[in-house]
Amino acid sequence: MNEQPRLFLLDGMALVYRAHFAFIQNPRKTSKGFDTSAIFGFCNSLLEVLQKEKPDYIGVAFDTHEPTFRHEQNAAYKAHRPDTPKEILDAIPYIHRILDAMGIPKLSVPGYEADDVIGTLAKKAAQQGIKTYMMTPDKDFCQLVEENIICYRPKRVGNEIEILDIQGVIDKFGVPPAQVPDVLGLWGDNVDNIKGIPGIGEKTAKKLIQEYGSVENLIQNADKLKGKLKENVIQYAQQGLESKQLATIRTDVPIELELDKLKASPFNQTELKAIFEELEFKTLSKRLFGEKENVQKDLFGNVVIPTSTKSKPKTQSISPSLFENTSSPLQKNTIHDTPHEYIIISDEQKLKELAYELSIQPAFCFDTETTSTYTHNCELVGVAFCFEKHKAYYVPCNAELPLKTIQKYLKPIFADETILKIGHNLKFDIQVLHWQGIPVKGHFFDTMLANYLIQPEMKHTMDMLSETYLNYVPISIDTLIGKGQKQISMAEVPIEKVAEYAAEDADVTWQLYLHLSPKLHEKEVYSLFNEVEMPLMPVLAQMEIAGVLIDVEFLKQYSQVLEKEMEQLEKEIQDYVGIPFNLNSPRQLGEMLFEVLKLDKGEKTKKSGQYATGEEILEKLALKLDIEAAEQGKSIVNIPRKVLEYRELAKLKSTYIDALPELVNPKTNRVHTSFNQAVAVTGRLSSNQPNLQNIPIRTEKGKEIRKAFIAPEGYVLLSADYSQIELRIMASMSEDESLIQAFLEGQDIHASTASKIFNVDIDKVTPDMRRKAKTVNFGIIYGISAHGLSERLGIPRKEAAQIIESYFTQYPKVKAFMDAMVNYAREHGYVQTLLGRKRYLPDILSATPAVRNFAERNAINTPIQGTAADMIKKAMINIAAALKSYQTKMLLQVHDELLFEVPEHEVDIVKPIIVREMKDALQLKVPVEVSVGIGKNWLEAH
């Protein structure tokens, strides 16, 4: 017996819109800045259906530009919908091209919507015994469901595919499919401007149709209703009937069901590949086409591009003995149809010859293989080298070539400062070799950091750069060591496989160097690369190597203190509420706040259906209770405030106090954080393992954590912190005379601003005025709006708008600077820092207000925040050079602060050096202030 044939009908525009807005916070862009979010999401959904469901027939329905019968029936239908985002308009032609290349018909009928086309075809197919799946996120389609018609709602983030049959619709709407238009007629639909009957929401609509069966019957029985509901049903009866008609999908559209045209057919692979290549859909292309044509596999099972029939001449400068008595050169993987020659260095003589060859090169690329990604704990498995395309060497660290032998020959090479060392994420390799007794010195070229300046928004992994620039997919490390619990150490992988992998990495990185080096000049960021990012990289490596001493005993004791405080807070909250509940359960907490205590109406999240209890919500509730208590002149138990205190303690305890001891290196008794140099598009550094940038410093409990960072005996910690550096940079870049004058006179900048915007003498400025002025000063840098300021200060939006207006009146050149940055971004597509760091903002021209506004805020903030990042980087480079002959070590960088470990006898010597280099890092039009503190722990020093 044959299986029932299946037809999939896709609601084209609904899926396109859904895809566009799914990526709205993190849009997908090509290297040229074209937004591919809608196309990518649509293709993903389409391919998932094709590959998972394997339909017998398929078609995609689209609306037409002509008005439909619904517009003729009701002019207001969809009238308040915003204009279609430009990104979607740009995407539609590509989607039509993709569907044509896939042989999938596009279905539309002038005067009818895609819903009606799908409804008509679904009914006709069902009559022929074909099972039809209507693929759409639109709930209206549930009215069409019957035995052979299914509603197929695609995946959303965090949710699986939802397939609704007759029972599924009943479970969802509380009524059979035929009565769904009645529910929608009462409930209405804001998206389509279907008004429904005022005062009737989803639950009430379902309940009324369950009881009365239809909108018509409800109206006839309106006298049985009560109160406002009765009044509204009578008053808006006609509107309810019209809404039902608008929500009803037509099934009599003049379109034939032509199954031959809907039959799934082979793709035009050439055309589809060309489109995907233009859109840079590498992952989708691999997913769709799988292995390349003329697939070959090497003896390790790796898919390779076919090799050229032309042989490659051997290198003349290496003696032939280098190739004797080794495994044959690994020529199994190739790039651009050119053979590889990957050579394993198997004994001391060959290592000696390679070392000589490296010593006469002006530059070489290298890559280390290790047993783990923790540089201070791992063991060296081997090192790969490359100094010409398609040829590389792998030096294993094993019994034949022990570490001492490798040190003997490679140590002088890496110490030679005349040779340019090239790599990808070189900071890792430098540290690996340091811990193996091989210091790396000289000039460097890091392909990761080069691309970070060329395309800051892009991912900077070697694999990504290889695919993007070389059109080549390197061997995945997962094929060597596996994943998860089955993962093995690189030391357990056969040497031939490691050699292939490591040599390929070095070869690819060398080619990336050749490709990216000229691009740095083209993008006018070479000086930033050469004078800031590359000199900073070895400085960061030394900081990570140094690490910072941790007082583990203090953390254990502090953990116990916080544990008791958390227990006390939990008891106070439980006693006040009077019923037991789990304070760590967002659902139970929400019910306690909004249903038991009734502190506010509360809002439930769409995803979980539970009350939102995030920090922002709790802060608003706590502030509201504080204001009410002050107005009534009485003290209260502020439960939201106590919950916030509990959460702060819980976060401090789990994230830092209990976690830090686990990160202490047993060899050094120190924590060695890792600084991320190529993550933040503004140029700021970040850190992980642990993340020191996020250690709380605004609360007393958070500040206490800094006590755990200590100096060893005979040393102190010295903290040097820029004072209000971003405000000073804004004053300098905007050239606002009033702001510059305030800094030149050494005024309290927040009090000065308060004096101006509230029009009072500076000695009459109240603490509340200064607080508001401080919020404005720092908020302006981030393009704060009246709404944002009102939220932060807890004041009416009108008052916030007046404060911002007054600010710009007093500092007119600040406003002019902000406008200039936005206009510059619109004209050039990017903004830049004083040192030329670029941030590309293609969304600055987006037709979607939320997306465009976000880009405009970045256009204002990036030049300021990015210049501050560049400035402290320059300071770090200069300080490291100035302190070379001292024992003082730079340990940490956290935002605008640097932390040093200083021998007590060097304090008076290095302190003025540090301050001088920080002040002189960039020349501003205002004085730069650096505050310095000294102590036995970080808290004392700060």
Side-chain angles (χ1 to χ4, degrees):
M1 183 176 177
N2 293 330
E3 288 187 6
Q4 185 177 13
R6 298 187 306 158
L7 164 65
F8 272 75
L9 295 172
L10 281 62
D11 184 357
M13 286 307 293
L15 294 172
V16 171
Y17 264 87
R18 171 182 171 274
H20 170 72
F21 286 103
F23 290 99
I24 200 71
Q25 295 300 323
N26 188 23
R28 294 181 60 91
K29 302 283 179 71
T30 66
S31 58
K32 296 179 181 177
F34 180 69
D35 192 318
T36 60
S37 303
I39 312 169
F40 179 80
F42 180 87
C43 289
N44 240 339
S45 298
L46 182 59
L47 290 179
E48 185 168 350
V49 166
L50 292 172
Q51 294 178 335
K52 182 178 178 182
E53 303 295 345
K54 296 180 173 57
D56 301 286
Y57 308 99
I58 188 168
V60 182
F62 289 94
D63 299 331
T64 63
H65 296 295
E66 293 84 351
T68 69
F69 67 91
R70 292 185 179 86
H71 294 95
E72 295 169 4
Q73 178 183 328
N74 188 322
Y77 178 65
K78 294 189 178 180
H80 77 310
R81 273 194 178 184
D83 292 339
T84 304
K86 180 180 182 298
E87 295 81 2
I88 289 180
L89 294 175
D90 292 341
I92 295 302
Y94 282 97
I95 288 171
H96 285 315
R97 284 175 59 195
I98 289 167
L99 290 173
D100 291 342
M102 287 184 166
I104 297 174
K106 306 184 293 289
L107 310 168
S108 61
V109 178
Y112 294 90
E113 294 185 51
D115 308 31
D116 307 307
V117 173
I118 290 174
T120 300
L121 294 176
K123 292 291 184 181
K124 289 185 175 183
Q127 290 169 5
Q128 296 187 29
I130 296 169
K131 194 155 194 171
T132 301
Y133 291 82
M134 305 175 296
M135 183 172 175
T136 176
D138 192 342
K139 62 182 179 296
D140 296 16
F141 281 83
C142 290
Q143 65 188 270
L144 300 170
V145 170
E146 57 182 62
E147 184 180 352
N148 278 333
I149 301 178
I150 304 297
C151 197
Y152 186 100
R153 307 187 77 185
K155 281 183 179 181
R156 292 173 297 159
V157 177
N159 294 279
E160 289 300 312
I161 292 166
E162 185 179 20
I163 298 178
L164 296 174
D165 54 11
I166 296 173
Q167 187 57 51
V169 174
I170 294 172
D171 294 341
K172 190 174 190 67
F173 282 89
V175 297
Q179 290 177 316
V180 168
D182 293 280
V183 172
L184 298 175
L186 296 180
W187 176 10
D189 188 337
N190 288 332
V191 174
D192 291 339
N193 204 22
I194 298 177
K195 297 182 181 302
I197 292 180
I200 297 181
E202 179 182 0
K203 290 183 180 178
T204 305
K206 292 176 180 177
K207 185 177 178 183
L208 289 172
I209 298 304
Q210 286 170 355
E211 186 172 350
Y212 293 99
S214 68
V215 174
E216 293 83 354
N217 198 37
L218 172 66
I219 293 169
Q220 291 174 7
N221 291 277
D223 58 314
K224 297 178 182 178
L225 305 175
K226 296 178 181 180
K228 191 68 175 175
L229 177 61
K230 176 181 178 180
E231 183 183 323
N232 284 349
V233 170
I234 293 171
Q235 182 178 349
Y236 295 99
Q238 187 59 33
Q239 185 170 292
L241 292 169
E242 289 175 357
S243 296
K244 175 182 175 180
Q245 284 182 296
L246 291 172
T248 300
I249 295 175
R250 293 276 292 269
T251 57
D252 58 351
V253 174
I255 184 172
E256 294 301 318
L257 177 67
E258 299 177 278
L259 289 176
D260 287 344
K261 293 183 179 178
L262 295 172
K263 193 173 181 67
S265 58
F267 299 163
N268 181 335
Q269 291 198 21
T270 303
E271 176 65 18
L272 198 55
K273 283 181 179 179
I275 298 170
F276 278 11
E277 184 175 347
E278 181 181 349
L279 297 171
E280 299 175 12
F281 285 175
K282 296 181 177 65
T283 304
L284 281 182
S285 190
K286 282 191 291 183
R287 172 181 169 188
L288 188 58
F289 301 115
E291 297 180 348
K292 294 178 164 52
E293 297 172 4
N294 303 321
V295 165
Q296 295 181 6
K297 291 189 177 182
D298 64 21
L299 62 115
F300 309 122
N302 299 307
V303 177
V304 300
I305 301 172
T307 58
S308 168
T309 56
K310 294 179 181 180
S311 61
K312 180 174 179 293
K314 290 188 176 183
T315 306
Q316 299 300 314
S317 54
I318 297 183
S319 66
S321 63
L322 187 61
F323 306 107
E324 293 173 3
N325 303 318
T326 68
S327 304
S328 58
L330 302 178
Q331 299 178 336
K332 313 302 179 182
N333 269 23
T334 61
I335 296 177
H336 302 317
D337 298 338
T338 306
H340 282 157
E341 195 168 23
Y342 292 167
I343 302 154
I344 299 174
I345 304 301
S346 56
D347 58 43
E348 186 172 349
Q349 176 58 31
K350 294 177 180 60
L351 177 58
K352 180 180 179 181
E353 293 171 2
L354 174 62
Y356 170 76
E357 187 65 25
L358 290 170
S359 73
I360 62 173
Q361 300 301 323
F364 64 75
C365 176
F366 75 99
D367 178 65
T368 61
E369 297 305 328
T370 61
T371 53
S372 85
T373 56
Y374 295 101
T375 59
H376 45 275
N377 282 339
C378 67
E379 294 177 9
L380 184 66
V381 176
V383 189
F385 295 92
C386 178
F387 44 87
E388 61 178 302
K389 288 171 66 173
H390 312 311
K391 189 167 189 175
Y393 308 88
Y394 178 68
V395 181
C397 184
N398 54 21
E400 288 74 26
L401 285 175
L403 181 59
K404 283 187 177 181
T405 304
I406 291 174
Q407 288 173 338
K408 176 182 175 181
Y409 292 103
L410 295 188
K411 201 170 178 179
I413 307 301
F414 282 112
D416 188 338
E417 298 190 19
T418 66
I419 303 173
L420 176 69
K421 282 84 174 180
I422 300 159
H424 190 87
N425 190 15
L426 270 173
K427 180 160 64 67
F428 175 87
D429 299 296
I430 288 173
Q431 289 184 72
V432 167
L433 293 179
H434 166 87
W435 292 109
Q436 303 301 319
I438 306 175
V440 185
K441 299 177 182 178
H443 296 285
F444 303 98
F445 189 104
D446 191 321
T447 53
M448 178 181 75
L449 297 179
N451 195 67
Y452 171 59
L453 295 184
I454 292 164
Q455 293 204 62
E457 301 276 357
M458 182 179 166
K459 288 183 179 177
H460 309 294
T461 63
M462 191 205 73
D463 288 2
M464 174 62 76
L465 302 196
S466 178
E467 290 184 49
T468 302
Y469 297 123
L470 307 179
N471 195 30
Y472 179 72
V473 181
I475 302 168
S476 167
I477 192 171
D478 294 339
T479 63
L480 272 70
I481 63 174
K483 287 183 177 179
Q485 293 181 341
K486 294 183 178 180
Q487 184 172 313
I488 62 173
S489 165
M490 188 66 88
E492 301 174 67
V493 179
I495 190 171
E496 292 82 7
K497 283 191 175 184
V498 181
E500 174 83 355
Y501 173 80
E504 182 186 71
D505 276 4
D507 183 7
V508 167
T509 303
W510 175 264
Q511 294 189 55
L512 289 174
Y513 157 66
L514 298 176
H515 183 89
L516 295 174
S517 186
K519 279 187 174 293
L520 289 168
H521 294 279
E522 290 171 21
K523 294 285 187 177
E524 299 178 331
V525 290
Y526 180 77
S527 62
L528 183 66
F529 175 78
N530 198 45
E531 296 169 19
V532 178
E533 296 298 350
M534 286 320 308
L536 179 68
M537 184 272 295
V539 173
L540 293 175
Q542 289 305 314
M543 290 167 64
E544 293 180 20
I545 288 168
V548 60
L549 198 60
I550 298 293
D551 188 341
V552 174
E553 191 56 40
F554 164 77
L555 289 172
K556 289 180 180 177
Q557 293 173 5
Y558 195 33
S559 178
Q560 294 171 2
V561 170
L562 292 193
E563 182 75 38
K564 290 179 181 178
E565 291 187 19
M566 288 168 62
E567 290 173 359
Q568 180 60 33
L569 276 170
E570 188 171 19
K571 183 177 185 304
E572 289 175 14
I573 295 169
Q574 298 276 11
D575 290 347
Y576 182 85
V577 177
I579 57 173
F581 74 96
N582 183 359
L583 189 55
N584 295 309
S585 165
R587 181 179 295 278
Q588 293 185 36
L589 175 62
E591 291 169 355
M592 181 273 290
L593 292 173
F594 303 114
E595 294 180 8
V596 178
L597 298 182
K598 300 186 185 302
L599 296 182
D600 205 345
K601 182 181 177 181
E603 293 183 8
K604 291 188 176 182
T605 63
K606 292 181 180 179
K607 185 176 179 180
S608 64
Q610 64 192 38
Y611 289 105
T613 58
E615 183 176 344
E616 188 177 343
I617 300 290
L618 294 177
E619 284 286 2
K620 285 182 182 178
L621 286 175
L623 183 60
K624 178 184 175 184
L625 290 175
D626 286 339
I627 292 171
E628 289 176 0
E631 289 174 348
Q632 298 170 15
K634 63 179 183 181
S635 62
I636 60 166
V637 178
N638 193 325
I639 294 299
R641 184 77 65 204
K642 289 187 177 293
V643 173
L644 284 168
E645 290 175 24
Y646 177 88
R647 284 186 176 176
E648 182 203 353
L649 298 182
K651 183 178 179 179
L652 290 176
K653 187 173 183 300
S654 62
T655 307
Y656 295 104
I657 297 163
D658 292 344
L660 276 172
E662 300 298 318
L663 297 174
V664 173
N665 185 322
K667 295 179 183 177
T668 64
N669 292 320
R670 290 173 174 252
V671 164
H672 301 266
T673 190
S674 178
F675 290 100
N676 306 313
Q677 198 175 348
V679 173
V681 291
T682 58
R684 275 182 176 246
L685 295 174
S686 61
S687 65
N688 62 306
Q689 293 294 321
N691 180 353
L692 300 177
Q693 255 73 5
N694 284 351
I695 289 182
I697 56 171
R698 293 182 181 177
T699 63
E700 292 305 315
K701 291 287 191 296
K703 289 179 183 176
E704 284 289 300
I705 294 175
R706 292 194 169 201
K707 280 187 179 177
F709 295 77
I710 59 174
E713 194 66 35
Y715 287 74
V716 293
L717 295 184
L718 184 151
S719 167
D721 197 351
Y722 278 122
S723 173
Q724 301 165 336
I725 192 61
E726 290 187 357
L727 286 178
R728 294 173 193 270
I729 289 170
M730 184 174 72
S732 185
M733 293 183 79
S734 69
E735 299 184 337
D736 187 275
E737 291 86 353
S738 296
L739 205 51
I740 289 173
Q741 191 62 32
F743 281 119
L744 288 173
E745 293 176 359
Q747 295 179 10
D748 176 338
I749 193 63
H750 303 312
S752 176
T753 297
S755 170
K756 288 181 172 62
I757 64 177
F758 295 114
N759 195 27
V760 297
D761 292 338
I762 196 164
D763 57 351
K764 298 287 177 61
V765 170
T766 65
D768 187 56
M769 288 177 181
R770 187 184 183 279
R771 176 182 69 89
K772 290 176 179 177
K774 182 177 180 180
T775 304
V776 177
N777 271 333
F778 287 115
I780 288 296
I781 296 170
Y782 294 88
I784 197 169
S785 64
H787 172 72
L789 185 62
S790 69
E791 291 282 310
R792 291 195 198 180
L793 294 177
I795 60 176
R797 189 181 299 187
K798 186 176 180 181
E799 182 184 346
Q802 289 172 345
I803 291 174
I804 292 176
E805 184 180 353
S806 179
Y807 184 96
F808 287 140
T809 300
Q810 295 298 327
Y811 301 120
K813 287 196 175 179
V814 171
K815 181 66 167 71
F817 166 75
M818 293 167 65
D819 292 341
M821 290 300 98
V822 172
N823 290 332
Y824 186 92
R826 286 175 183 152
E827 182 180 349
H828 297 87
Y830 66 85
V831 289
Q832 60 185 357
T833 67
L834 286 178
L835 292 184
R837 183 184 303 277
K838 292 179 170 64
R839 181 174 186 180
Y840 295 89
L841 299 167
D843 289 337
I844 199 80
L845 299 176
S846 172
T848 306
V851 175
R852 184 177 64 252
N853 292 342
F854 182 71
E856 289 174 353
R857 289 195 296 274
N858 284 332
I860 295 165
N861 169 248
T862 297
I864 299 168
Q865 189 182 105
T867 296
D870 290 346
M871 187 171 181
I872 199 165
K873 286 179 175 180
K874 284 283 288 182
M876 293 167 71
I877 295 164
N878 295 341
I879 290 169
L883 298 182
K884 258 188 176 179
S885 59
Y886 296 97
Q887 292 177 275
T888 295
K889 294 178 182 176
M890 188 159 28
L891 304 182
L892 302 176
Q893 188 264 21
V894 180
H895 303 309
D896 302 326
E897 177 186 6
L898 297 175
L899 188 69
F900 301 84
E901 186 176 275
V902 186
E904 291 175 350
H905 67 273
E906 286 186 1
V907 171
D908 294 336
I909 303 170
V910 302
K911 178 180 173 181
I913 296 174
I914 292 167
V915 171
R916 181 193 71 219
E917 297 299 345
M918 289 181 73
K919 284 186 175 184
D920 294 346
L922 279 183
Q923 295 302 310
L924 302 180
K925 294 180 174 66
V926 297
V928 174
E929 295 296 328
V930 176
S931 59
V932 176
I934 296 168
K936 291 300 290 182
N937 62 58
W938 193 4
L939 183 61
E940 276 183 21
H942 191 262

